[in-house]
Amino acid sequence: MPSSDNGPWDAKVQQFHGGQDWARIDNFVEDFSVTTNAFGMPAPAMAAAVRSIAHSSHYPPADQEPARSSLARFLWPDSAGAEQGRLILGNGASELIDLVIRMAPAGTWKPGPFRTQYKEYERSARNNGLELLAADAPDKANVACLVNPCNPTGDYLELPALKDWISANVLPGGYVLIDESMQPWHSAEFRAHSLTSQHDYVRQMLDQHGIAIFVVHSWTKLWCCTGLRLGSVVCPSPDHTRAIKKVQVPWSVNVVALEFLDAVVADEAYLQKTWELTPVWRQEMTARIAEQFPAWECHGRPFLSWIWVDTKSEAVAQRAVDLAYAAGVPVRSGRPGYNHPTFIRLAVREPAKVDVLLGAWRELHSA
């Protein structure tokens, strides 16, 4: 995005996000500014979503079925029946983030330990009157939020370290939100590395310490359907799920999104392609960036769908953003929202599209 342009965002009241530039670019080629799956929306699920338009004259199911049960089976193939009472869907993760933080205890709020993270948690905490603590503050908080893997920095805590962080940063009786939206990129074994698999631990933390752990997912990144607005939260207990349901606007997830979700969770071939090729394309991108711009520093785990790049210069970072925009391949600046003006964030994309982006940056060599 050009340096002086806020796009459609009202900077006085709204939190800046990427993903808006593509509609204003006449020569649009590819959107590198969002962390969606490089393989686009899965075709079978897209077809199901299109078919659903035929019965969109009716209300969506108030119980979110059968999509909710289908997602439960995706998350817990061997125990969906026992656990799905803790699962609720929302109009994107952002709706659920706001609902959970509205229900959270009053007092202090603390972000994860990384240098920055997805800002909707902070925005909601501020809007709901919580006192904001720094990530490195020694105090425990009433409400803590950690994005894991962290968007945009690419940092990641495995389960033992994640549990240690919760114990060290959340007060008894507190709420903790763990955002695992990018966790399914980990591998075919992502469930074993996810907090959603830790049933006994979550119950123990609630029973023994009163700490309520919520696991948030935005499904629009993995399945490249950000326009549909589709998220979920796994609550610490069915009572917490009902508490969300009590204040959630009825029918917040529309028919099209529900039909898409019900179909997409069965698309194993799409996920297998994601796990196989994303790390390959990401490694190729980082190697090409390192070759062309040896002073730049790439951050993030190899399985992630984006690269967090420190150009080491505010001027260079902004020039890279402007050149990419002009070439129809917008990237995310680290300046708005994240307040890291030397950084840019690049989505992993197919090599032919990367050619266009790197071609647009040839001018940086003479800068």
Side-chain angles (χ1 to χ4, degrees), residues 146 148 157-166 178 180 195:
L146 168 62
N148 192 51
L157 297 181
E158 292 285 0
L159 286 173
L162 178 58
K163 293 177 182 179
D164 288 345
W165 181 86
I166 292 172
I178 305 298
E180 291 193 351
L195 200 55

Side-chain angles (χ1 to χ4, degrees), residues 330-343:
V331 301
R332 173 69 191 267
S333 169
R335 181 190 301 274
Y338 296 129
N339 196 30
H340 285 283
T342 70
F343 283 81

Side-chain angles (χ1 to χ4, degrees), residues 258-313:
L258 289 172
E259 292 281 359
F260 177 89
L261 178 60
D262 190 45
V264 79
V265 293
D267 196 336
E268 296 180 2
Y270 180 88
L271 287 178
Q272 193 60 46
K273 181 170 62 174
T274 297
W275 294 322
E276 288 179 359
L277 287 181
T278 301
V280 173
W281 286 359
R282 190 183 190 282
Q283 194 280 328
E284 291 176 357
M285 284 182 66
T286 56
R288 294 180 67 181
I289 291 169
E291 180 181 5
Q292 293 194 34
F293 306 100
W296 293 11
E297 189 174 330
C298 295
H299 298 266
R301 292 296 184 97
F303 63 84
L304 294 175
S305 64
W306 75 92
I307 308 169
W308 182 235
V309 182
D310 187 359
T311 70
K312 307 299 178 71
S313 164

Side-chain angles (χ1 to χ4, degrees), residues 10 21 41 226 236 331 341:
D10 184 338
D21 292 335
M41 187 181 287
T226 52
V331 301

Side-chain angles (χ1 to χ4, degrees), residues 78 109 136 143 182 186 188 224 240 249 257 261 290 317 351 356:
D78 300 321
W109 173 88
D136 58 356
V143 185
M182 315 311 289
H186 183 284
C224 198
H240 289 88
V249 174
L261 178 60
V356 179

